[in-house]
Amino acid sequence: VTGATGAVGAVGATGATGATGATGATGPQGIQGIQGVTGATGADGAVGATGATGATGPQGIQGIQGVTGATGADGAVGATGATGATGPQGIQGIQGVTGATGADGAVGATGATGATGPQGIQGIQGVTGATGATGATGATGATGATGATGPAGTVTPAEAVADAPSTPTPAQVGDTLNALLASLRAAGLLET
């Protein structure tokens, strides 16, 4: 590969014009060489002093393009440039497969028993249960002995009350009933 063209050196001073030599025989036309890659334009060198104009010699035949010279040694590495700005964050990658569960670690020592917490709030009283079935009736107890007969009471006959007419009026029924009640009270059979 053709290396980059080096910078053009400064133009040297024009030498004195030599004597014109005899014209040589014209050689055969050489093969047109492949055009090389155009190198970068080198910096212009300082303009030298203009020499005296020599006599124009005859146009020479274009020679065959010379072989490309060996690539020069690499120049010294330049200083490291400033670090560029951080680029945007890349897309989140797919989550990896979950690894196998590791073996259970050894059981740690039992910690000290904590202090007893405060007593909890009294719970709500439960619903009253259903009433149980009535138990079987117990056997009838033995009949007690008959008590002694008490003394005969004194019966005071009530005063006779006349019968109501066969077809009484309401007032007559009321009078007869009131007379009967009064007779029973007088005899002590009704409370006064």
Side-chain angles (χ1 to χ4, degrees), residues 101-107:
T101 303
D104 292 338
V107 178

Side-chain angles (χ1 to χ4, degrees), residues 8-160:
V8 178
V11 178
T14 304
T17 303
T20 303
T23 303
T26 302
Q29 173 77 34
I31 300 172
Q32 175 75 34
I34 300 171
Q35 181 164 344
V37 179
T38 304
T41 304
D44 293 336
V47 179
T50 304
T53 304
T56 303
Q59 171 77 35
I61 300 169
Q62 172 142 352
I64 301 171
Q65 182 168 340
V67 180
T68 302
T71 304
D74 293 336
V77 179
T80 303
T83 303
T86 304
Q89 180 171 345
I91 300 172
Q92 173 78 32
I94 302 172
Q95 181 171 346
V97 180
T98 304
T101 303
D104 292 338
V107 178
T110 303
T113 303
T116 303
Q119 181 172 345
I121 301 172
Q122 173 75 33
I124 301 172
Q125 182 171 344
V127 179
T128 304
T131 304
T134 304
T137 303
T140 303
T143 302
T146 303
T149 302
T154 302
V155 177
T156 303
E159 185 177 352

Side-chain angles (χ1 to χ4, degrees), residues 157-185:
E159 185 177 352
V161 176
D163 295 336
S166 58
T167 56
T169 62
Q172 291 174 331
V173 173
D175 292 341
T176 302
L177 178 59
N178 290 333
L180 177 61
L181 293 177
S183 174
L184 294 175
R185 290 191 186 94

